Amino acid sequence: VPVPGLAGVTRERFRRDIYPRRKPVVLKGMELGTCTTKWTVDYLSQAEGSKEVKIHVSAVPQMDFLSKNFVYRTLPFDVFVRRAAETKHKEYFLSEDEKYYLRSVGEDARKDIADIRKQFPVLAEDVQVPEYFEKEQFFSSVFRISSAGLQLWTHYDIMDNFLIQVTGRKRVVLYSPRDVPYLYLSGTKSEVLDVDNPDFEKYPLFVKAKRYQCYLEAGDVLFIPAMWFHNVISEEFGVALNVFWKHLPAESYDKSDTYGNKDPMAASRAMQILDRALKTLEELPEEYRDFYARRMVLRIQEKAYRNDDG
């Protein structure tokens, strides 16, 4: 299913017509500042100079967070940008066609959120973030640079966000939160890496997941509602900025979450209670366990599932 693209969407229209529907939308023709024309490889290299950045380096295009098929390395920012823009490298860590990925983090990644204004102040001057949410809802602004061909694992975030494609082209495949039974989750990440050629023997239910897709050109902004799964391929070397904001009351979120991907506090507590309930069922013989587990599933469906089409 193609994700709809809309041009000339004002803040008012977004908040009134688009936001309440909780579906992905590509916003086109947004006023993003001078970044869309200024951010060439040369400009990026000299704008933030040789400060060190921690990057992901992968020998294969499909990065897998679960098997950790990449390594973390540190490079001066200007060196990193030039390397990420090349397809073949004279200097490299793993192989001459390795892929690079920068996901900016706070000064202390365990305690501080990513904020382009703090980590990349010179570049932040060039960006006008679409403020389609209240200032106090702002959570983080994550600066991203990817090599051409790099594919990021399928995952969900628990906050709403804008993926602002500043330069380059991306393909984004999305799946609804409703399709979680078919996505083979491990934490917030799906085990199905290759969404184009999935292994149906290993993941037979994945065939039921409804695929939404869009291509982001430079200057496009994709609204990704919380809990929508997304899998991203950088078709070209490109620079993007993700802006996350808090959709729920601030106290709903885990205070130790700097990445925006820890489940809300109530959800974490509910999962812990469920784990205890399942442990308790183990005291019963198998046929009883099966019977009461099915009854528990029915109760969850009755009490907590939405009964609309979402």
Side-chain angles (χ1 to χ4, degrees), residues 195-236:
V195 294
D196 298 305
N197 299 291
D199 180 343
F200 287 123
E201 282 191 13
K202 200 171 177 187
Y203 308 116
L205 294 175
F206 186 68
V207 74
K208 295 185 178 184
K210 185 175 177 182
R211 174 187 176 123
Y212 294 78
Q213 182 170 296
C214 61
Y215 288 89
L216 299 181
E217 307 291 344
D220 287 348
V221 177
L222 173 61
F223 167 51
I224 307 177
M227 298 174 298
W228 271 78
F229 293 84
H230 42 288
N231 178 290
V232 182
I233 291 185
S234 297
E235 302 223 317
E236 303 166 344

Side-chain angles (χ1 to χ4, degrees), residues 248-306:
L248 306 175
E251 62 275 11
S252 307
Y253 299 101
D254 187 325
K255 295 280 185 291
S256 69
D257 185 8
T258 56
Y259 285 86
N261 61 7
K262 285 191 179 176
D263 292 315
M265 302 291 280
S268 295
R269 286 201 307 276
M271 291 296 236
Q272 286 164 2
I273 294 164
L274 177 62
D275 285 340
R276 285 205 297 277
L278 292 168
K279 193 94 185 107
T280 309
L281 274 190
E282 286 174 18
E283 295 170 20
L284 294 166
E286 188 180 29
E287 89 186 274
Y288 284 82
R289 205 162 58 226
D290 179 280
F291 175 68
Y292 287 102
R294 287 170 195 274
R295 287 195 58 193
M296 284 165 71
V297 169
L298 282 172
R299 188 173 296 192
I300 289 171
Q301 284 177 332
E302 282 164 19
K303 296 281 186 191
Y305 275 30
R306 288 169 63 178

Side-chain angles (χ1 to χ4, degrees), residues 9-118:
V9 175
T10 61
R11 176 189 164 112
E12 290 67 35
R13 186 181 164 206
F14 178 76
R15 293 182 70 86
R16 184 188 67 230
D17 302 334
I18 298 167
Y19 197 47
R21 293 185 63 229
R22 318 294 301 149
K23 296 264 181 79
V25 172
V26 179
L27 306 172
K28 294 185 162 289
M30 304 284 275
E31 186 46 66
L32 299 174
T34 55
C35 55
T36 49
T37 49
K38 257 170 118 169
W39 284 7
T40 61
V41 171
D42 287 342
Y43 175 76
L44 289 167
S45 303
Q46 58 90 36
E48 294 285 353
S50 58
K51 70 161 161 220
E52 303 247 294
V53 286
K54 189 178 180 185
I55 53 169
H56 302 66
V57 183
S58 174
V60 294
Q62 268 178 347
M63 284 176 62
D64 179 359
F65 196 82
L66 297 172
S67 72
K68 296 283 197 295
N69 66 346
F70 52 85
V71 294
Y72 292 104
R73 292 290 181 265
T74 305
L75 280 176
F77 183 72
D78 51 356
V79 175
F80 157 69
V81 170
R82 294 196 180 282
R83 279 216 214 164
E86 307 166 339
T87 42
K88 283 270 187 281
H89 313 294
K90 287 194 174 67
E91 292 181 42
Y92 50 83
F93 297 107
L94 306 171
S95 66
E96 62 175 13
D97 53 0
E98 65 193 15
K99 306 289 183 194
Y100 297 92
Y101 171 56
L102 166 71
R103 184 239 189 255
S104 67
V105 291
E107 283 67 34
D108 179 339
R110 290 183 309 262
K111 293 200 204 97
D112 305 316
I113 53 136
D115 185 341
I116 190 174
R117 293 167 297 190
K118 291 179 182 161

